[in-house]
Amino acid sequence: MILTVTLNTALDITYRVPALRPHASHRVTEVIERPGGKGLNVARVLAALDHEVTVTGFTGGATGRVLQEHLTGVRGVVDALVPVTGATRRTIAVMDERTGDSTQLNEPGPTITPAEWAAFQEAYEDLVPAMSAVALCGSLPPGVPVGAYAGLIRTARAAGVPVLLDTSGEPLRRGVAARPDIVKPNADELAELTGSHEPLRATQDARRRGAHAVVASLGPDGLLAVTPEGRWRATPPARVHGNPTGAGDSAVAGLLSGLTTHLPWPDRLSRAVALSAATVVSPVAGEFDRGVYEELVGRVTVSQEVSAA
Amino acid sequence: MILTVTLNTALDITYRVPALRPHASHRVTEVIERPGGKGLNVARVLAALDHEVTVTGFTGGATGRVLQEHLTGVRGVVDALVPVTGATRRTIAVMDERTGDSTQLNEPGPTITPAEWAAFQEAYEDLVPAMSAVALCGSLPPGVPVGAYAGLIRTARAAGVPVLLDTSGEPLRRGVAARPDIVKPNADELAELTGSHEPLRATQDARRRGAHAVVASLGPDGLLAVTPEGRWRATPPARVHGNPTGAGDSAVAGLLSGLTTHLPWPDRLSRAVALSAATVVSPVAGEFDRGVYEELVGRVTVSQEVSAA
């Protein structure tokens, strides 16, 4: 059983409109709703790969209830969300059919009280020992201390459970110092953390800050991994076109899937890169195309980087 | 007890954003949610005027449940909505703080099945005889026959209950022919019905088509009423500035309030004009400012039109 943590859960709503024009009235032609927040996306991909997953984080209000109803429909996912008084936020992506672009409207979401944060930590401590891995994903809601992930990482490591961190900014900086097993920053997050825009240098620097392994996601260039077992670049066989939403979450799912099934690093990276690419080409944002995944996973190029530093 | 019918109910959501930019990501700074659809707006104003109101129409899915929870919080409103399988629609108004303009996104809403429409008609027939007045408000959802209002008007008239119709297009045309007690078109609806852009001529024409009384809402020019008791123009004492959303619904509430308390026409019209103006000036769209209403209601000018036709 894998645990994914999503402190900033959301109900993701996609509206399709013929053309978005400010100050006009629009008839929405299609409405798609699904559980959102990075950890829930990771869980959905893991469940599709036949892993058992428990999800935790916060849920509240009518939107939280709807989110939980959607989760009930996902086979292989156990709902261990912690109730809060505030209402779970909605995010609305307005897809313009004419341009293919989307406009995003994100509700602020609830402020977590100290008592709610304490209740979450208690629930998390109870869940962690039974898990084969933990993923801590996404931003922190208002009210949760900026060092939250550092504490959750220490809890997992004390229980001997491997922990992956995928966040940004100060929560990432503090989290890395608590020595997570894996961090998966993208190029921007890595540059913000290290001050370097050179991927290999920045990835090595991130590792020196405390993470045991750093897997940087470099968009169409694939993944760059610096680990205790070596360094690798993993790249898809061809450039893929589509919607990158959720590609990073699919990479996280691939890394966790490979970790918990004890694959060597190159195979974990192949899985992560193939899932990412299969997510980009999927017509539904955040879903992956299983056929594309199965076709690509054997064709990812993984090359070892020889140490120069 | 007054009955308002809203076949196309909605959950109205207002998002405030600093500035709406297509294809950008926006943090919503304020979220306001409330029951929507014209008949529910009318009911809320009637309840604020201390009338007892029953609301009916359709409700479905998670959004329908949220809508009903909001209704539970409105004192004086009895929920007699009829459940359907489809989900009640959301409407989202994105308020741009910089320009004050709003961009509207309307979900399509459920398609009503023939069995659901039959169940509604049965519920309506059971409700009507106990009512002092019925208001039929707004557009028809997909699946409801275009002659729906005509049938509901005949049911009310057969029960001896006065019935007001506030809709547009073909449902208005068919409804007027069924001889409702009052129709309340705005200038555009009146012109579409009659082909005339001259308000007095068009209002008289609408009455000849079957309505016992026609009250045309002419925006800042107030109301023009052609009734069996005479013809009147009612105008606010001064031009008011603000958001006209819901002003027509407040006028309907004023007419119903005056009808059920047996006020003469000029007093009904004063109430309707004052409520309309107090809705325009209210900072919250669709709410009326009670102080402004009480200050204006004695100062509305009602002048009798001498027959020339």
Side-chain angles (χ1 to χ4, degrees), chain A residues 13 15 21-28 33 62 65-66 69 90 92 99 101-108, chain B residues 13 15 21-28 33 62 65-66 69 90 92 99 101-108:
Chain A
I13 301 172
Y15 282 166
R21 293 185 210 286
H23 314 148
S25 187
H26 304 77
R27 192 174 155 76
V28 173
E33 255 189 36
R65 286 200 304 278
V66 172
E69 279 168 30
R90 284 171 288 217
I92 297 190
T99 64
D101 289 316
S102 91
T103 304
Q104 192 72 31
L105 298 160
N106 297 327
E107 294 187 6
Chain B
I13 301 172
Y15 283 166
R21 292 184 211 287
H23 314 148
S25 188
H26 304 77
R27 193 174 154 74
V28 173
E33 256 188 35
R65 286 200 303 278
V66 172
E69 279 169 30
R90 284 171 288 217
I92 297 189
T99 63
D101 287 317
S102 92
T103 304
Q104 192 73 30
L105 298 160
N106 298 327
E107 294 188 6

Side-chain angles (χ1 to χ4, degrees), chain A residues 65-86:
Chain A
R65 286 200 304 278
V66 172
L67 183 146
Q68 292 185 281
E69 279 168 30
H70 282 291
L71 282 178
T72 309
V74 185
R75 214 169 67 93
V77 172
V78 178
D79 173 359
L81 294 170
V82 173
V84 291
T85 304

Side-chain angles (χ1 to χ4, degrees), chain B residues 59-76:
Chain B
T59 179
T63 302
R65 286 200 303 278
V66 172
L67 183 145
Q68 292 185 281
E69 279 169 30
H70 282 291
L71 282 178
T72 308
V74 186
R75 214 170 66 94

Side-chain angles (χ1 to χ4, degrees), chain B residues 32-92:
Chain B
I32 298 169
E33 256 188 35
R34 47 172 228 177
K38 294 169 78 69
L40 296 184
N41 298 341
V42 170
R44 196 165 37 229
V45 175
L46 283 169
L49 295 174
D50 279 333
H51 290 274
E52 301 256 283
V53 196
T54 296
V55 295
T56 189
F58 297 111
T59 179
T63 302
R65 286 200 303 278
V66 172
L67 183 145
Q68 292 185 281
E69 279 169 30
H70 282 291
L71 282 178
T72 308
V74 186
R75 214 170 66 94
V77 172
V78 178
D79 173 358
L81 294 169
V82 173
V84 292
T85 304
T88 297
R89 69 201 171 108
R90 284 171 288 217
T91 76
I92 297 189

